Amino acid sequence: MKKLLVLILFIGNVSKAQILPERERAAIIDQILADRFNNLLPQLMDQTGFDMWIVISREYNEDPVLRTMLPAKWLNARRRTILVFYRNKEKNTIEHLAVARYNVGKYIDSAWDKEKQPDQWKALMDIISEKDPEKIGINYSEHFGIVDGIVKTDYDEFIKELPDNYKSRVTAAEKLAIAWIETRTVQEMEMYKELVQITHNIIAEAFSIKVIKPGTTTTDDVVWWLRQKVTDIGLSTWFHPTVDIQRKDEKLESHIVSFSNRPNDKIIKQGDLIHCDFGITYLRLNTDCQQHAYILKNGEMTPPDFLIKAFSDGNRVQDIFTSNFETGKTGNEILLKSLEEGRAEGLKPAIYTHPLGLYGHSSGTTIGMWDSQEGVPVNGDYPLHENTVYAIELNTTVTIPDWNKDIRIMLEEAGFWGSQGFKYVNERQTELITIPKRK
């Protein structure tokens, strides 16, 4: 833990500090994996009732769950990689085994001697017979794509080789795999705050006169600046950013236009309300953030009052929504209650919040989709669990008489749900950014 904290101190403000070198990133990744394998995984297996979890992948066709388990030096699986986690609750032990020719990093030991047993599948069956588990989980799921990782050929071969007396003990590891993907540890949350700060800092730089020259700079110029900035500082992004404009003399487009079929090379002008959707990947975690900026007209010191009020309406929808988080509530319950309360206050909200963490659009509690405001079947029925992170993604439509039109305030920030309730991972936008900056 102490080493982790020392390394994190170097992250800081991206404009003032270096992103960690690859060797130090690898040390953090492996340290966190050790904590997750040794401390988190036994809890999750006990909670979901599995005493054996088998994860099977082949090189370049990795199970998304297995990708999160590979050590920092393994960029892919090798040949066919089979991981076996065996939990003995009575002895309070957990074994991390690999039916592979070599150890998978420091924390998963090779359990296959090919010279003694040439057949990899038979070697796996020997382990199963030796441990004699009561409930075996493998990764398949009809509705949660990230945890549907076993391919048909591996599944068929596994079932064919499995002794008959174990076939009835095999079931989908859906709940266990989702829990592994969605649950954040204390160490991960220490890093997550820094990741969000880096994301905010990059947006602040993009939404400044350093990047935007009104009347000249286009939305695509800003989009590609964001992409290049992430590359230049040695990071990556998990989706292509977007930047869009709302202005007085143009009608409000469908919500989807902000993310698809968006006009290219639209010139940013004074008086525009601009919006971005942007996120980064770093230390195997992901951010997802949407913020707004206003391009000041000559003589203006602040945005117009009607835009300030509209933005506060967006914050109000966030407050209503996050106040309804409660462990055990389903995503659909939280969604419908929040929409009802927002509409009762005269707001026009839409909520489409997704789990965030090891993947950008991750597995866990889905709270609305932009085109499913009445609830999301199955994924929206999944209950809220503690120690999880969400992209608090939503919008509210506001009528602006001064512009004789509606506008849409679209916000997104990383939020954490834990035993102490809800909190933003690293604050949220509460005021419009101004270009140029006035304070």
Side-chain angles (χ1 to χ4, degrees):
M1 176 73 78
K2 188 173 181 181
K3 183 178 181 182
L4 177 73
L5 292 174
V6 170
L7 290 175
I8 286 175
L9 289 176
F10 288 94
I11 301 176
N13 188 316
V14 69
S15 64
K16 297 180 180 179
Q18 296 292 318
I19 300 297
L20 290 176
E22 291 287 354
R23 177 180 285 187
E24 294 179 5
R25 296 189 209 185
I28 289 179
I29 288 168
D30 287 345
Q31 184 177 346
I32 286 174
L33 271 178
D35 178 46
R36 287 177 65 85
F37 284 143
N38 294 325
N39 300 313
L40 176 63
L41 184 55
Q43 298 174 32
L44 301 181
M45 293 184 75
D46 291 349
Q47 290 168 12
T48 54
F50 288 94
D51 53 345
M52 181 172 282
W53 188 15
I54 301 174
V55 185
I56 306 171
S57 280
R58 281 179 289 171
E59 195 167 5
Y60 307 130
N61 191 28
E62 287 82 7
D63 178 329
V65 173
L66 180 131
R67 292 196 67 85
T68 71
M69 296 173 164
L70 295 177
K73 294 179 183 178
W74 281 48
L75 304 185
N76 300 94
R78 296 176 184 171
R79 302 182 183 178
R80 176 181 280 111
T81 298
I82 302 176
L83 305 184
V84 179
F85 302 98
Y86 175 66
R87 169 66 170 159
N88 188 318
K89 191 173 181 180
E90 290 184 2
K91 295 182 180 180
N92 194 26
T93 59
I94 186 164
E95 296 179 63
H96 321 127
L97 306 173
V99 187
R101 295 282 284 161
Y102 18 63
N103 297 336
V104 179
K106 297 179 181 178
Y107 309 110
I108 305 178
D109 297 328
S110 172
W112 179 29
D113 185 339
K114 190 175 181 180
E115 281 63 44
K116 291 183 178 179
Q117 173 51 271
D119 190 302
Q120 187 180 23
W121 289 111
K122 286 184 169 52
L124 172 61
M125 300 310 146
D126 289 343
I127 292 173
I128 294 172
S129 297
E130 177 192 346
K131 305 301 181 185
D132 194 27
E134 293 297 321
K135 186 176 180 182
I136 303 169
I138 58 175
N139 291 346
Y140 63 89
S141 171
E142 181 179 356
H143 299 285
F144 293 86
I146 289 173
V147 303
D148 186 35
I150 191 166
V151 300
K152 185 177 187 302
T153 49
D154 284 337
Y155 177 83
D156 288 347
E157 196 69 20
F158 172 75
I159 294 298
K160 183 180 77 173
E161 296 292 337
L162 189 68
D164 289 341
N165 59 311
Y166 286 106
K167 284 184 168 61
S168 63
R169 304 186 196 184
V170 174
T171 188
E174 181 181 83
K175 290 184 178 180
L176 173 57
I178 291 173
W180 170 265
I181 291 293
E182 74 171 348
T183 306
R184 303 277 67 78
T185 64
V186 172
Q187 292 185 4
E188 287 174 302
M189 291 312 302
E190 288 169 353
M191 293 189 307
Y192 227 141
K193 184 175 182 179
E194 302 297 337
L195 266 73
V196 175
Q197 186 63 60
I198 292 170
T199 306
H200 288 171
N201 291 342
I202 294 172
I203 292 173
E205 190 174 355
F207 281 178
S208 74
I209 58 174
K210 176 180 178 179
V211 176
I212 296 177
K213 306 294 188 292
T216 301
T217 305
T218 69
T219 51
D220 270 12
D221 290 338
V222 183
V223 165
W224 285 107
W225 183 92
L226 287 165
R227 282 288 299 270
Q228 191 63 50
K229 179 70 175 183
V230 172
T231 299
D232 290 347
I233 63 176
L235 301 183
S236 59
T237 182
W238 59 278
F239 66 96
H240 187 63
T242 64
V243 175
D244 56 90
I245 297 171
Q246 297 180 85
R247 56 171 57 127
K248 181 177 181 178
D249 55 354
E250 295 180 3
K251 70 175 184 177
L252 178 65
E253 299 284 357
S254 165
H255 170 258
I256 193 61
V257 172
S258 296
F259 308 98
S260 177
N261 301 318
R262 182 176 50 85
N264 295 323
D265 289 328
K266 197 169 184 179
I267 294 175
I268 298 170
K269 303 176 183 179
Q270 290 184 346
D272 284 347
L273 178 67
I274 64 173
H275 158 268
C276 72
D277 190 358
F278 170 69
I280 64 171
T281 301
Y282 184 36
L283 298 169
R284 293 195 176 173
L285 293 172
N286 296 274
T287 65
D288 200 355
C289 185
Q290 294 181 47
Q291 294 194 349
H292 287 271
Y294 174 73
I295 316 299
L296 293 169
K297 296 179 181 179
N298 292 335
E300 283 185 324
M301 298 300 292
T302 64
D305 289 344
F306 57 83
L307 290 183
I308 294 174
K309 172 61 170 62
F311 193 84
S312 71
D313 286 350
N315 284 157
R316 178 57 188 152
V317 174
Q318 288 176 318
D319 291 341
I320 292 170
F321 173 50
T322 57
S323 71
N324 285 316
F325 276 39
E326 183 179 321
T327 301
K329 277 190 176 180
T330 68
N332 288 334
E333 288 173 331
I334 296 168
L335 169 71
L336 297 176
K337 190 170 190 292
S338 301
L339 292 175
E340 179 183 6
E341 291 178 0
R343 290 163 184 161
E345 292 189 16
L347 301 168
K348 300 177 183 177
I351 296 169
Y352 32 97
T353 283
H354 57 85
L356 184 68
L358 295 171
Y359 290 95
H361 291 155
S362 200
S363 280
T365 310
T366 298
I367 313 175
M369 291 183 173
W370 68 267
D371 55 352
S372 297
Q373 289 298 284
E374 70 286 350
V376 181
V378 183
N379 301 64
D381 295 320
Y382 189 81
L384 187 70
H385 292 84
E386 293 180 1
N387 302 319
T388 50
V389 172
Y390 301 88
I392 305 301
E393 186 176 10
L394 47 77
N395 75 60
T396 188
T397 301
V398 183
T399 299
I400 305 295
D402 299 70
W403 284 5
N404 192 31
K405 61 174 285 187
D406 288 345
I407 66 167
R408 193 174 288 115
I409 300 297
M410 296 170 280
L411 299 174
E412 188 169 19
E413 291 287 356
F416 174 77
W417 175 251
S419 60
Q420 302 301 308
F422 176 85
K423 64 179 180 180
Y424 286 99
V425 172
N426 192 349
E427 302 181 346
R428 61 169 174 169
Q429 184 182 15
T430 56
E431 295 181 349
L432 287 167
I433 299 169
T434 59
I435 304 172
K437 192 171 183 178
R438 293 302 193 196
K439 62 178 179 177

